Amino acid sequence: MFSPYYAWAGRREPEDHCAINVALYGARSDRWAMTERGRGALGRTTNHFTLAGSSLHWTGTELVIELDERATPHLTPIRGTVTLTPEVLPGRQYPLDPEGRHVWRPIAPLARVTVALDSPRTRWQGHAYLDANRGEEPLEDGFRRWDWSRLRRGDGAVVLYDAERRDGSDLRMALRFDPDGAVEDFVPPPQICLPDGFWGVRRKTRADTTNGAVIRRVLEDSPFYTREMLDLRLDGTESVAIHESLDLDRFAHPVVRLMLPFRMPRWTAGLP
């Protein structure tokens, strides 16, 4: 949905505009890959998705991701296997607008992940999360901006979702996911402002108090999108959250679209 090439092509033929996004954040260096491919690199069945040298395969109990990508801008390789094992599969989806043109599905809000990469050489296991969004119109047609957070709470998880719709209405969503598969809506805590991103993107979240959220580490900071780790206090408990802010007015600006190929090159034949 962020592909400038897809927008420039009139948003036709989505199978000709596919990418696998990989973002690795390390203590000393990061790697980012999001190379768009044409239809000739795509193959898919019910349980298998292949794009050039990378693939995703659902075994029935696990999502196995085989990566063979090149990071921008230096084309350093990202190769190896990521295996995600869901702990719960709620099977629910949530409309993000009254007409249901945009839908969010937390596929596996509680999961485990095993990462085994050969390049860069790394091995680790931890908590994981898997969701999906789909829409019947461009995202920027339905929304001005949104903020999203996910945090692990004991043996469960919490997701906070706030959005300003294009029609002037707001979306406020706060969900608890339990290890038995139950999902509970709850009244979200007050909204608070975080420091703006380097490019001026506004960031907000929800916490018990006005000083209940502190940015631990900025992971992405672009003209229209930020991602960060937060120390977040919710219901009297401190947790580490992943937080995202998205400004769709900025994303839709022609100048910003012209900047995107730097992070998202397009290859239609062969591998870089």
Side-chain angles (χ1 to χ4, degrees):
M1 61 185 177
F2 295 131
S3 168
Y5 316 99
Y6 185 49
W8 295 332
R11 301 186 186 276
R12 296 185 298 271
E13 302 183 33
E15 290 187 342
D16 199 40
H17 301 274
C18 296
I20 293 176
N21 181 209
V22 186
L24 302 176
Y25 306 109
R28 291 176 294 180
S29 64
D30 302 333
R31 293 192 190 183
W32 167 280
M34 196 174 184
T35 302
E36 182 172 301
R37 313 283 183 179
R39 68 171 78 261
L42 174 66
R44 60 177 181 163
T45 62
T46 301
N47 295 320
H48 202 93
F49 178 92
T50 301
L51 191 64
S54 299
S55 67
L56 291 82
H57 174 60
W58 175 247
T59 68
T61 58
E62 295 179 327
L63 180 64
V64 180
I65 306 167
E66 300 288 349
L67 297 173
D68 187 359
E69 299 290 326
R70 294 279 180 167
T72 56
H74 304 299
L75 299 183
T76 49
I78 301 175
R79 296 194 184 99
T81 304
V82 177
T83 303
L84 182 141
T85 305
E87 298 174 11
V88 295
L89 293 167
R92 292 180 59 181
Q93 59 184 19
Y94 300 84
L96 300 179
D97 63 303
E99 294 78 18
R101 290 189 294 258
H102 301 271
V103 176
W104 167 65
R105 182 182 176 188
I107 299 172
L110 293 166
R112 301 289 301 178
V113 69
T114 299
V115 177
L117 298 183
D118 298 320
S119 180
R121 186 75 178 176
T122 185
R123 301 284 190 277
W124 58 271
Q125 296 180 337
H127 299 300
Y129 168 88
L130 177 66
D131 72 356
N133 286 78
R134 64 176 175 84
E136 299 174 6
E137 65 179 4
L139 198 60
E140 62 270 25
D141 287 0
F143 301 91
R144 294 185 181 276
R145 64 178 313 279
W146 73 33
D147 294 278
W148 177 94
S149 299
R150 187 263 183 185
L151 55 145
R152 190 85 181 199
R153 288 286 306 276
D155 56 1
V158 170
V159 171
L160 303 172
Y161 217 139
D162 286 274
E164 297 176 16
R165 300 189 185 102
R166 188 63 64 183
D167 63 8
S169 63
D170 293 329
L171 166 72
R172 296 187 182 94
M173 191 183 303
L175 301 173
R176 290 190 183 93
F177 298 92
D178 294 332
D180 62 0
V183 184
E184 177 190 0
D185 295 271
F186 67 97
V187 177
Q191 192 172 59
I192 64 172
C193 293
L194 297 165
D196 291 349
F198 175 82
W199 296 89
V201 173
R202 290 185 295 129
R203 296 186 281 206
K204 297 180 181 180
T205 189
R206 293 185 179 272
D208 289 350
T209 62
T210 55
N211 59 355
V214 177
I215 296 176
R216 173 183 287 203
R217 181 182 177 186
V218 175
L219 303 174
E220 302 291 342
D221 194 341
S222 78
F224 70 94
Y225 172 82
T226 71
R227 179 188 299 155
E228 42 275 325
M229 294 174 63
L230 301 181
D231 291 319
L232 185 65
R233 187 171 184 81
L234 190 67
D235 293 335
T237 302
E238 297 283 351
S239 302
V240 177
I242 296 295
H243 175 266
E244 299 176 332
S245 294
L246 175 63
D247 187 321
L248 288 154
D249 287 341
R250 286 176 169 229
F251 167 71
H253 196 285
V255 173
V256 173
R257 285 242 168 92
L258 288 172
M259 298 168 67
L260 288 172
F262 174 75
R263 297 295 302 274
M264 189 179 184
R266 176 174 169 87
W267 294 80
T268 55
L271 295 174

